[in-house]
Amino acid sequence: MNRQEISGRARVTGAVMALRSDTGWQIVSPTVAQAPHLLAGVAVASPTEVWVTGHVEQHPLIARWDGTTWTNAPAPPPDPSHIGAGFQGIAAAPGRAIAVGGAYDRVAGTEVPLIQHWNGTSWERADPDTDGYVLTDVTFIGEEAWAVGHGLPWGGPSGPVALHWSANTWRPASLPSITKGKLLAVSGTAPDDLWAVGAADRAGLIMHYDGHTWTRVPSPTTRFPLSDVVALSPSEAWAVGRDRVLHWNGRKWSNTKTPVTAANTITARTPDDLWVAGGGGELAHYDGQRWTLTTSPQPPGETAVWLASAAQDGGIWIVGSIDGFSRAALLA
């Protein structure tokens, strides 16, 4: 189950867990918002500046953790013409952040991308001029940023989409034409070393940016889309998608044998401190030599579906959802 598949499920409540000290993983309380709501993205600027994104009652949701509680920072009011509006991905650094997502514009009759920038005090809209697609993830590269997503067959241009933020402007990048292609996550180490993953039809898709051109990179065959990627260096990157954990060694992507069977997200502080989380509350750690399954904290009698993660020197944060009214729906 990827970030999009869970959206729209009834009575979903967002959940956040964090590894902030030697005390182990803990559920972060209080909850971000009243149920039902969905959390789909997380970014960490510091231990007292953690952002989560999602949607609540058909409206976009962005909340900030200040070390004690969650608050909703000032933001533009929701557009009344937007249906199912929400934010999927978020990137953060001290004093700045970017959130991306999408909605269906019932007036224009098409999907529209959503972008908001945090200026240190409030959120400001920075929506692209073009529509017909949605955005799913974003990452900072120095003072610049990249966002990825995909068009829809009934909207605008079908296929993967990438936008580049530079000189205070979002500009679309040229991408290879990939039928039924979509990008779900992006991560990079430098302006000339970015990875984006997603799907080509039902199989996994991996693309790389070398500072000039986005190209499709050969990868092992997967039965499901790749839902997340983390880049650590030009010779070290990881990607996950359901029953696959893939590793880049600087020359090629290869399958990695792990005990994980339902991976949705991966993050890392160092090459020997990786975490994978997913469906059924699954949580696993890689110490540079071996993978170990770890017990995931969750409310008694419930099972979490973890969807997104972020790492910072002060800890690891993972967000997802639980459904106290239809547990089976989350595990379908």
Side-chain angles (χ1 to χ4, degrees):
M1 181 179 295
N2 64 36
R3 299 177 188 179
Q4 283 73 33
E5 289 172 333
I6 194 172
S7 63
R9 297 289 176 89
R11 303 304 301 174
V12 171
T13 301
V16 183
M17 67 174 176
L19 179 65
R20 291 173 283 179
S21 66
D22 294 337
T23 58
W25 286 97
Q26 295 181 341
I27 293 290
V28 177
S29 61
T31 57
V32 175
Q34 292 290 328
H37 70 280
L38 168 73
L39 297 180
V42 59
V44 184
S46 74
T48 58
E49 188 179 355
V50 181
W51 295 94
V52 296
T53 56
H55 65 74
V56 55
E57 296 182 348
Q58 300 295 311
H59 296 308
L61 170 65
I62 308 177
R64 176 181 177 174
W65 174 262
D66 62 8
T68 303
T69 191
W70 297 101
T71 57
N72 294 320
D79 190 319
S81 68
H82 290 173
I83 300 174
F87 287 109
Q88 291 285 330
I90 187 166
R96 61 193 179 109
I98 298 175
V100 301
Y104 180 78
D105 189 321
R106 58 186 175 184
V107 175
T110 186
E111 303 288 336
V112 293
L114 303 178
I115 301 178
Q116 288 189 13
H117 288 226
W118 173 252
N119 62 17
T121 303
S122 63
W123 288 95
E124 300 175 341
R125 291 185 62 171
D127 300 339
D129 295 331
T130 57
D131 53 28
Y133 62 93
V134 296
L135 296 170
T136 54
D137 199 16
V138 60
T139 188
F140 279 123
I141 299 294
E143 296 300 316
E144 301 182 357
W146 282 89
V148 298
H150 55 90
L152 300 166
W154 58 85
S158 176
V161 172
L163 303 180
H164 183 206
W165 171 256
S166 177
N168 295 320
T169 303
W170 284 101
R171 297 181 178 86
S174 177
L175 297 179
S177 177
I178 300 175
T179 303
K180 298 182 180 179
K182 58 183 177 181
L183 294 176
L184 300 176
V186 61
S187 178
T189 65
D192 59 355
D193 180 36
L194 279 91
W195 292 99
V197 302
D201 200 357
R202 296 180 181 275
L205 169 67
I206 299 180
M207 303 186 72
H208 184 261
Y209 182 69
D210 63 3
H212 301 283
T213 306
W214 282 96
T215 57
R216 184 174 183 177
V217 178
S219 62
T221 300
T222 66
R223 296 181 297 167
F224 304 101
L226 294 171
S227 54
D228 204 4
V229 60
V230 58
L232 300 173
S233 73
S235 60
E236 185 93 29
W238 296 79
V240 297
R242 192 75 71 90
D243 61 347
R244 293 287 187 271
V245 176
L246 306 182
H247 180 229
W248 169 258
N249 64 5
R251 299 183 303 277
K252 66 177 183 178
W253 286 92
S254 59
N255 280 310
T256 299
K257 187 176 181 179
T258 74
V260 179
T261 60
N264 287 331
T265 183
I266 184 168
T267 193
R269 286 181 287 195
T270 63
D272 57 0
D273 187 15
L274 277 77
W275 288 92
V276 168
E282 194 164 27
L283 181 63
H285 181 253
Y286 180 68
D287 64 7
Q289 295 183 338
R290 62 182 62 85
W291 288 90
T292 305
L293 283 175
T294 302
T295 300
S296 170
Q298 47 206 323
E302 303 299 336
T303 299
V305 176
W306 302 117
L307 298 176
S309 56
Q312 195 262 350
D313 291 342
I316 306 287
W317 290 69
I318 298 179
V319 302
S321 300
I322 59 172
D323 187 343
F325 298 87
S326 179
R327 176 179 173 181
L330 288 175
L331 302 178

